[in-house]
Amino acid sequence: MESIIPTWQVSFLCGVLTWVVLSSMFNVTQKIRSSVQPWVSRRVISGTSTILQIQKYQHGFWDALFSGISCVVSVPFYTGFLPLLFWSGHGKLARQMTLLMAFCDYSGNCIKDMVSAPRPKSPPVRILTATKDEKENALEYGFPSSHTLNTICLSGYLLHYVFSCNENINAYYQVATFMFVCLFVALIGFGRIYLGMHSVIDIIGGVILGLTILAFWLRVHEYIDNFVTLGQNVTSFWIALSFLLLFAYPTPEHPTPSFEYHTAFTGVALGIVTGVQQTYNQFHHENVSRLFTLELPIPIPAFAMRMGIGIPTILLVKFCSKALAKWILPITASALGIPVRSSGYVAALTGSLVVKKSNEVKPSGGYLQKMIFRREDLFDVDTGIRLVQYAGLAWSVVDLVPSLFYQLNL
């Protein structure tokens, strides 16, 4: 009889759990940081002169250009763009870009907080943060550059997808498109230096990590997509994996927003996988109507109506998911005897944050240590709330909203 839970899933999860426990016991994060951080920090300091040379040519036009480009490749932009990609009928591309984005976000932020290397010092460097998102990004560590990493991976995969779906594209068009992508990546990297957000070593790290992740993803993306759409025990496996990834995340030298970003996008990936697994044969198979195609095209007015209905719906689900999680998770934790605190979501639990604030800057191997090895610590319930909130939002993108489209003949 075939096993209900595939052996490889059990082995994979046990492998991740074993790594997390061993890395916590042997303080792997601190050992890696002690060896890598000084090397990166020296190059950040030595690269200050390069940044100042570039910033000599500062101008309002360049400020607006590079700030605008940075917004286009930011996580909030992708968060808004990916639902539209799902609703346009390009489900496979949307699934892959969502999961790739989650993988890039987790990998890049893990390295950032593990190394804990500083951004360029201001002054003398001028750091331009034109948006609230950029101000929050400036609170993260610098190495590697997430904008560079994400741009390489997502634009590279999009290029691969377009070329693989259109085999008759001539060589001249392929070369021109490839050069355009390379130019765009170069502008992103240069712009991050010009804005004072990163040093040269951060950009180089983002390029190397981005190319490595992209090469890996192009080898495994078909297997991942087949598993998500047609696999066995997908939802349970992904829930367990998401839970482990939360506690596998390395503890930074000082608190940063990076863990919050990772938690949000891990929730997005969980919601997408759960929703697609349930509704693949109804809404996300390869024969659905698609925007900008000759076969079964989606009319532009119908797509506009989809956006008009879909966006308010997912925002409502996000609000309701957060409210529900704020009510259920503290009650559940209390019933299980788990001591919790809140960084801001649950007012009744924020008072205990001051008492345990010193725990935030304690060096440790990983967040799992706080669960297993120091049970007297308070656990931040906001992490679970954020995960549920974004999982609910993503689920609505691929399940609830397409169901509404079906009922309305859109």
Side-chain angles (χ1 to χ4, degrees), residues 67 106 138 149 237 261 301:
S67 296
Y106 186 82
L149 163 64
F237 171 79
Y261 299 156

Side-chain angles (χ1 to χ4, degrees), residues 246-264:
L246 290 178
F247 293 99
Y249 193 88
T251 303
E253 194 169 49
H254 300 288
T256 71
S258 297
F259 181 70
E260 299 176 6
Y261 299 156
H262 136 66
T263 302

Side-chain angles (χ1 to χ4, degrees), residues 51-332:
I51 302 174
L52 294 177
Q53 286 292 329
I54 293 174
Q55 291 189 338
K56 283 182 179 179
Y57 301 96
Q58 68 182 44
H59 188 274
F61 172 78
W62 301 120
D63 291 353
L65 174 65
F66 291 125
S67 296
I69 292 177
S70 295
C71 291
V72 169
V73 298
S74 63
V75 172
F77 171 80
Y78 288 122
T79 304
F81 170 73
L82 290 173
L84 304 185
L85 200 57
F86 275 107
W87 301 337
S88 69
H90 297 276
K92 183 175 181 179
L93 175 61
R95 289 192 301 273
Q96 286 297 309
M97 292 192 72
T98 302
L99 296 179
L100 177 56
M101 183 70 187
F103 187 48
C104 290
D105 188 69
Y106 186 82
S107 302
N109 286 346
C110 269
I111 295 176
K112 277 187 176 183
D113 282 352
M114 181 178 292
V115 176
S116 296
R119 290 182 183 266
K121 187 176 180 180
S122 175
V125 172
R126 182 191 70 145
I127 297 180
L128 180 62
T129 54
T131 64
K132 179 181 178 181
D133 180 58
E134 281 287 82
K135 289 181 173 65
E136 292 178 352
N137 288 338
L139 300 176
E140 296 183 289
Y141 291 109
F143 179 85
S145 167
S146 296
H147 282 70
T148 307
L149 163 64
N150 295 338
T151 303
I152 288 176
C153 288
L154 296 178
S155 60
Y157 185 81
L158 179 60
L159 198 65
H160 165 79
Y161 181 84
V162 171
F163 288 166
S164 62
C165 292
N166 300 274
E167 298 178 354
N168 297 324
I169 297 178
N170 61 60
Y172 174 79
Y173 178 80
Q174 292 183 1
V175 172
T177 308
F178 177 77
M179 294 301 295
F180 174 79
V181 170
C182 291
L183 176 61
F184 185 65
V185 172
L187 281 174
I188 292 297
F190 183 82
R192 301 307 286 170
I193 297 175
Y194 173 87
L195 296 173
M197 294 293 288
H198 287 287
S199 60
V200 176
I201 189 64
D202 300 335
I203 305 301
I204 294 174
V207 170
I208 294 174
L209 182 60
L211 292 174
T212 302
I213 291 178
L214 179 60
F216 169 76
W217 197 263
L218 292 178
R219 287 185 173 273
V220 303
H221 69 107
E222 290 291 351
Y223 299 104
I224 293 175
D225 197 64
N226 289 336
F227 171 67
V228 169
T229 56
L230 303 172
Q232 183 182 9
N233 196 50
V234 177
T235 301
S236 299
F237 171 79
W238 214 276
I239 291 174
L241 178 62
S242 300
F243 181 79
L244 283 177
L245 290 179
L246 290 178
F247 293 99
Y249 193 88
T251 303
E253 194 169 49
H254 300 288
T256 71
S258 297
F259 181 70
E260 299 176 6
Y261 299 156
H262 136 66
T263 302
F265 230 92
T266 297
V268 168
L270 174 60
I272 293 296
V273 170
T274 302
V276 168
Q277 172 70 15
Q278 294 174 340
T279 62
Y280 175 73
N281 292 324
Q282 288 79 22
F283 308 124
H284 305 289
H285 55 84
E286 293 303 306
N287 296 322
V288 298
S289 300
R290 292 184 177 89
L291 193 66
F292 306 126
T293 60
L294 298 178
E295 299 178 358
L296 299 174
I298 298 177
I300 298 296
F303 182 66
M305 291 185 65
R306 286 188 173 191
M307 289 192 295
I309 295 172
I311 292 176
T313 302
I314 65 174
L315 292 178
L316 178 62
V317 171
K318 179 184 176 184
F319 173 81
C320 294
S321 299
K322 181 178 180 180
L324 192 63
K326 287 169 63 176
W327 175 59
I328 291 179
L329 292 185
I331 294 176
T332 304

Side-chain angles (χ1 to χ4, degrees), residues 16-18 20-22 24-25 243-244 247-248 366-377 379:
V16 174
L17 178 61
T18 301
V20 170
V21 173
L22 291 178
S24 296
M25 291 175 60
F243 181 79
L244 283 177
F247 293 99
Y367 283 95
L368 187 67
Q369 264 190 342
K370 298 177 181 178
M371 172 171 283
I372 296 178
F373 299 105
R374 293 200 301 268
R375 294 189 61 87
E376 70 276 8
D377 282 350
F379 308 116

